[in-house]
Amino acid sequence: MARVLGQIVAVVLLAGPALAQVGTGPVPAHATTRSYGDGWTCDLGFQLTDGACVKLTLPANAYATGRSYGPGWSCLRGYAPSDTACIAITLPENAHLDRSGTRWRCDKEFTSKNGVCALER
């Protein structure tokens, strides 16, 4: 019985953050009624704060994610996030962005040494 009760408590605690992302009550400005279930969600570019949809301030080189947690934005490819900005990634000579778009790798035949891409020998 105690094990089942513990599992129920764990499910409720894990569901809490998900439930907090959906607004309840009257639909405020810049929100849309959910197409399934009850409640509403903030429109893209707005974030749920104290029961209202507040416009996000996007830094340069960022886009709105539509998430109601975190900053609500991500950086474009080639930029890395800091607390309030997207910083351009500086590529050393003979390097390219990796798949993530936030890190670099040396081109073929080059190897990374002290932040530069040196020709392999």
Side-chain angles (χ1 to χ4, degrees):
M1 181 67 167
R3 183 177 177 161
V4 171
L5 182 58
Q7 290 173 339
I8 292 170
V9 169
V11 167
V12 169
L13 290 175
L14 289 173
L19 296 174
Q21 296 174 18
V22 176
T24 58
V27 180
H30 310 292
T32 304
T33 303
R34 292 181 46 181
S35 59
Y36 58 92
D38 295 329
W40 47 265
T41 57
C42 293
D43 297 338
L44 189 61
F46 293 84
Q47 192 171 37
L48 181 61
T49 304
D50 297 328
C53 293
V54 178
K55 184 166 180 59
L56 290 172
T57 301
L58 297 177
N61 303 303
Y63 62 93
T65 62
R67 296 182 192 122
S68 60
Y69 55 88
W73 54 267
S74 287
C75 294
L76 297 171
R77 181 173 172 76
Y79 295 85
S82 71
D83 290 338
T84 59
C86 292
I87 311 292
I89 296 168
T90 303
L91 296 176
E93 191 173 339
N94 302 308
H96 60 276
L97 287 174
D98 71 2
R99 288 183 181 172
S100 73
T102 60
R103 294 181 301 269
W104 58 267
R105 294 184 142 206
C106 292
D107 296 337
K108 276 186 174 183
E109 300 181 15
F110 292 87
T111 186
S112 178
K113 291 183 183 177
N114 300 321
V116 298
C117 293
L119 191 59
E120 291 179 0
R121 294 182 187 233

